[in-house]
Amino acid sequence: MLIRILPILVLGSLLSLSVVAEQSCVFPKNTHSLSDSDWRYATDPHGSTASTKQTLLYGEQVWVAFNRVPRVDASNNSWVELIYDLPNKTLAGQSSIMLEYKSSTDLVVKLSQQDYGGQGDKSYAHYQFTLPAQSHWQTKCINLADFSRPNWTPANSIDKGIIKEHVSAIYLVPDLKDALGGKAIIAVKNISIQP
């Protein structure tokens, strides 16, 4: 009898954990609306482009269409990115990111940390987490502990871990292959950084 009850107890506790996780993935009531001054986009100088509706923040959402050219050569890669500049310029005291988004491709969420950027080792091998493509609005929660550096991180880039005080922005990057480039549309309705 105990053997039959045990799987039910285990299943019951797993279900209750998933319900708790879903309940915690709700935007707080005091979430601020998106601010135009917090958002921008960037593209490489090799021909990749970005287009918006009338403005980047349009109709209570951030919306951008990217066209990324293929990698130029071994020393010149192409890139496109939607950038959320953290209002406090830091992730100090925070532990998760909640994002309500749509994306035509998988979406790489990167923590722009000075240690790996232009002020650091210039590897740009930032900590990242990939979210699935979504054709309808989806809200996803990502714990900072679940981010990792990309598999292409150069050996000479010393891993200093996520130093929250050194993260000033969150980059949302369509997961397009370097050799092929491609097109992608990203839209964001809400973002919240949480302790």
Side-chain angles (χ1 to χ4, degrees):
M1 185 68 154
L2 181 59
I3 295 172
R4 290 183 183 169
I5 294 173
L6 189 57
I8 293 170
L9 290 174
V10 170
L11 180 61
S13 33
L14 288 175
L15 288 174
S16 65
L17 283 175
S18 65
V19 169
V20 169
E22 276 187 34
Q23 289 175 345
S24 66
C25 191
V26 175
F27 282 96
K29 291 181 181 177
N30 63 351
T31 298
H32 302 291
S33 58
L34 298 176
S35 173
D36 192 36
S37 62
D38 295 335
W39 293 90
R40 58 192 166 96
Y41 60 82
T43 60
D44 61 69
H46 308 300
S48 296
T49 60
S51 58
T52 65
K53 296 190 177 177
Q54 292 176 350
T55 58
L56 182 57
L57 178 57
Y58 182 78
E60 298 187 6
Q61 65 178 304
V62 171
W63 187 97
V64 63
F66 288 116
N67 184 6
R68 179 182 171 193
V69 299
R71 183 181 193 114
V72 179
D73 55 43
S75 336
N76 294 287
N77 199 9
S78 61
W79 43 270
V80 295
E81 50 205 20
L82 175 61
I83 303 167
Y84 173 63
D85 289 310
L86 294 166
N88 296 330
K89 305 296 181 212
T90 180
L91 281 179
Q94 308 302 312
S95 63
S96 65
I97 299 168
M98 200 170 340
L99 184 69
E100 186 176 5
Y101 75 102
K102 291 192 287 189
S103 179
S104 61
T105 65
D106 287 353
L107 187 63
V108 182
V109 181
K110 297 184 180 186
L111 306 179
S112 179
Q113 183 172 321
Q114 68 187 38
D115 306 271
Y116 312 119
Q119 298 174 339
D121 65 16
K122 297 179 177 56
S123 69
Y124 299 96
H126 298 295
Y127 274 82
Q128 62 185 42
F129 185 91
T130 303
L131 292 171
Q134 297 290 345
S135 58
H136 296 75
W137 292 115
Q138 290 290 324
T139 300
K140 298 289 183 182
C141 302
I142 319 166
N143 290 321
L144 296 182
D146 294 332
F147 281 73
S148 60
R149 298 186 79 195
N151 58 10
W152 53 261
T153 300
N156 64 346
S157 179
I158 298 168
D159 189 353
K160 299 183 176 183
I162 297 173
I163 302 173
K164 296 178 185 180
E165 294 80 7
H166 293 183
V167 177
S168 61
I170 296 169
Y171 288 22
L172 304 176
V173 180
D175 194 12
L176 300 168
K177 303 308 171 206
D178 293 351
L180 302 175
K183 296 183 177 183
I185 296 174
I186 300 172
V188 175
K189 190 185 278 189
N190 278 305
I191 190 166
S192 176
I193 313 300
Q194 303 189 332

